[in-house]
């Protein structure tokens, strides 16, 4: 018990004062120290540190926003590119279709022309043949006439009677026309 | 139980009671309390002005050490910001703490207009933190385990709270806002007294909490180590050291937590004084 009370005594008072004793001098020193520390740190530390922190946060925020804008722009550009590629493809398809159509047209035209040409050539050939035929016929006629004259000459030479003569001539002519 | 252990136990108990009777526990208080000597060896100047004992005590010296440490560290940190936009090394570490005080303490509790109080909150946080840790260094003394120091810090906090509230709401508006809405008319005088008392109990609790937390750990560590000398046996040393180490680690945590709590509660009270509508 005695020991316990001595422990309590040590708590409540000694040469330096007890645990719960308030020392006004120390309080004044604490105020002075704290205020000086506050002023020093406020001027030399908190202001620049907080300013640069805010600045950096602003910078990061702005950078992120910029990046977002850039991404959106890039996406838009990609979409634009895609659209133009599609347009170009469409155009190409159109051109191909057009040229195919044109080729088709050309082909049919050429075919038509060649057909008419061929027809013309055939017609020409036919008329030529006709003409040649006629020529040949007329030359044949001439030849037949010559032969007939020859035959007549021969008959005359043989001196046959008139009746017999005409009979032979008729017979000749008939033969020729038969051929 | 064999004979030797019984003998050791009775011997230990005898020496313990003898030691207590001789009031040898006084050395614990000697370590905890303020003193006029630095490290118990170097005498410090004793100043008496206007009837007040303005002596430079050990705790004053340790507060100055904290002041020098903080000034050196934070001027270096703020300089490193002007050098490079990207923090590195020590700057990174202290930036985490600064951002913690800003984003986890000041911003959520004070909300709008927290920037004005940030320098005070940062200073009080780092001052208490460094003082707490200085007490855990060998030959160190804990200024924050002195009721005079914690009371002064709490009084400063009190003034910051009241001035902050009055500057925002006006003198009359501030005291009118102390009374919560929807209180019956006849309760008003009582509520006003209660709320007025509340203004003073808040910093009082701040002071006692910090003081008690920083003192208790030291007393426990000293008592555990003291067991070796009180019981006058080495057999208890491993147990004492192990427990003391555990308490020491706990105190590292407590040093951080108390700095946080003091700042957090100050900030909370500032927030309550500035934005009275809730």
């Amino acid at each position: 018990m005695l020991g316990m009370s001595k422990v309590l005594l040590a708590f409540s008072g000694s040469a330096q004062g007890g645990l719960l004793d308030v020392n006004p001098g120390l309080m004044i020193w604490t105020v002075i120290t704290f205020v000086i520390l506050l002023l020093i740190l406020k001027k030399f530390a908190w202001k620049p540190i907080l300013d640069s922190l805010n600045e950096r946060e602003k910078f990061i925020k702005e950078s992120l926003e910029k990046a977002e804008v850039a991404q959106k722009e890039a996406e838009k550009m990609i979409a634009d590119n895609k659209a133009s590629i599609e347009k170009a493809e469409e155009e190409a398809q159109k051109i191909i279709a057009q040229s195919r159509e044109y080729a088709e047209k050309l082909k049919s035209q050429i075919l038509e022309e060649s057909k008419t040409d061929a027809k013309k050539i055939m017609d020409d050939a036919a008329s030529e043949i006709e003409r040649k035929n006629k020529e040949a016929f007329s030359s044949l006629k001439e030849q037949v006439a010559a032969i007939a004259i020859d035959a007549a000459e021969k008959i005359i030479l043989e001196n046959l009677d008139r009746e017999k003569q005409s009979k032979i001539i008729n017979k000749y002519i008939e033969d020729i026309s038969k051929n | 139980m064999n004979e030797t252990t019984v003998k050791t136990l009775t011997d230990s108990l005898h020496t313990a009671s003898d030691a207590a009777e001789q009031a040898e526990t006084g050395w614990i208080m000697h370590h905890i309390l303020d003193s006029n000597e630095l490290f118990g060896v170097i005498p410090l100047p004793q100043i008496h002005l206007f009837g007040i004992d303005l002596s430079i005590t050990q705790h004053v010296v340790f507060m100055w050490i904290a002041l020098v440490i903080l000034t050196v560290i934070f001027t270096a940190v703020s300089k490193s910001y002007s050098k490079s936009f990207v923090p590195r090394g020590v700057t990174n570490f202290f930036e985490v703490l600064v951002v913690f005080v800003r984003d986890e303490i000041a911003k959520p509790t004070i909300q709008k207009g927290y920037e004005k109080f940030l320098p005070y909150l940062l200073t009080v946080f780092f001052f208490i933190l460094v003082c707490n840790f200085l007490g855990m260094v060998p030959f160190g003394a804990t200024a924050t385990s002195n009721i005079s120091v914690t009371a002064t810090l709490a009084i400063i906090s009190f003034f910051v709270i009241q001035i902050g509230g009055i500057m925002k709401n006006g003198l009359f508006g501030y005291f009118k806002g102390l009374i919560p809405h929807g209180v019956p008319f006849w309760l008003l005088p009582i509520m006003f007294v209660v709320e007025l008392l509340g203004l003073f109990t808040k910093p009082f609790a701040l002071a006692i909490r910090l003081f008690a937390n920083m003192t208790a750990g030291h007393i426990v560590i000293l008592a555990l180590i003291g067991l070796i000398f009180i019981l006058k046996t080495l057999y208890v040393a491993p147990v004492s050291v192990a427990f003391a180490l555990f308490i020491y680690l706990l105190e590292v945590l407590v040093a951080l937590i108390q700095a946080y709590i003091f700042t957090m509660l100050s900030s909370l009270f500032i927030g309550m004084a500035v934005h009275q509508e809730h």
Side-chain angles (χ1 to χ4, degrees), chain B residues 46-141:
Chain B
Q46 301 209 15
I47 309 162
H48 293 270
L49 271 179
F50 316 115
I52 303 170
D53 181 16
L54 277 176
S55 305
I56 312 290
T57 63
Q58 199 179 15
H59 284 165
V60 176
V61 173
F62 271 88
M63 281 194 285
W64 289 350
I65 293 173
L67 184 144
V68 171
I69 289 173
L70 284 171
T71 308
V72 168
I73 287 176
F74 281 106
T75 43
V77 167
S78 72
K79 244 181 221 146
S80 83
Y81 276 108
S82 55
K83 267 186 219 145
S84 146
F85 212 43
V86 182
R88 59 179 67 198
V90 186
T91 311
N92 239 334
F93 174 73
F94 285 100
E95 189 191 302
V96 169
L97 291 175
V98 171
V99 170
F100 173 77
V101 172
R102 190 191 63 178
D103 289 352
E104 304 295 324
I105 296 178
K107 235 183 222 173
T109 52
I110 308 180
Q111 288 160 3
K112 216 178 124 202
Y114 72 93
E115 296 91 346
K116 256 191 298 179
F117 300 98
L118 211 46
Y120 165 71
L121 293 172
L122 284 167
T123 311
V124 94
F125 177 78
F126 284 105
F127 182 63
I128 292 174
L129 192 68
V130 171
C131 279
N132 289 352
F133 278 125
L134 279 178
M136 309 191 59
V137 176
F139 301 109

Side-chain angles (χ1 to χ4, degrees), chain A residues 2-4 6-7 10-11 14 16-38 40-42 44-46 48-50 52-57 59, chain B residues 20-21 23 25 29 32-34 36 53-57 60 63-64 67 70-71 74-75 77-78 81 85 87 95 99 102 118-120 122-124 126-127 146-149 152-153 155-156 211:
Chain A
L2 199 69
M4 195 64 194
K6 273 181 182 166
V7 171
F11 267 88
S14 71
Q16 289 301 318
L19 195 61
L20 289 171
D21 282 1
V22 175
N23 178 359
L26 185 55
M27 290 180 88
I28 291 168
W29 281 124
T30 309
V31 171
I32 293 169
T33 312
F34 187 80
V35 169
I36 290 172
L37 182 67
L38 180 62
I40 292 174
L41 289 185
K42 194 179 176 183
F44 295 110
W46 304 141
I49 289 174
L50 291 171
S52 49
L53 278 181
N54 284 336
E55 202 182 314
R56 196 176 61 206
E57 270 157 27
F59 174 75
Chain B
E21 270 166 31
T25 45
M29 295 326 290
I32 303 281
L33 293 174
D34 208 357
N36 284 320
D53 181 16
L54 277 176
S55 305
I56 312 290
T57 63
V60 176
M63 281 194 285
W64 289 350
L67 184 144
L70 284 171
T71 308
F74 281 106
T75 43
V77 167
S78 72
Y81 276 108
F85 212 43
E95 189 191 302
V99 170
R102 190 191 63 178
L118 211 46
Y120 165 71
L122 284 167
T123 311
V124 94
F126 284 105
F127 182 63
N146 192 315
I147 188 87
S148 305
V149 175
T152 313
L153 290 174
I155 289 167
I156 296 171
F211 152 74

Side-chain angles (χ1 to χ4, degrees), chain B residues 105-106 109-110 117 120-121 124-125 128 153-158 160-162 202-203 206-207 209 258-274:
Chain B
I105 296 178
T109 52
I110 308 180
F117 300 98
Y120 165 71
L121 293 172
V124 94
F125 177 78
I128 292 174
L153 290 174
I155 289 167
I156 296 171
S157 208
F158 172 81
V160 171
I161 293 164
Q162 307 313 323
K202 281 169 192 164
L206 279 182
R209 182 181 298 110
Q258 287 310 315
Y260 165 66
I261 292 215
F262 194 99
T263 319
M264 178 71 193
L265 288 177
S266 293
S267 176
L268 197 67
F269 297 149
I270 291 170
M272 280 160 70
V274 171

Side-chain angles (χ1 to χ4, degrees), chain B residues 148-192:
Chain B
S148 305
V149 175
T150 61
T152 313
L153 290 174
I155 289 167
I156 296 171
S157 208
F158 172 81
F159 279 115
V160 171
I161 293 164
Q162 307 313 323
I163 292 170
I166 289 167
M167 274 169 74
K168 179 80 202 301
N169 303 302
L171 189 62
F172 181 71
Y174 175 64
F175 284 106
K176 202 180 138 216
L178 284 179
I179 302 155
H181 291 290
V183 174
F185 181 72
W186 54 273
L187 258 180
L188 282 181
I190 304 169
M191 281 311 289
F192 188 71

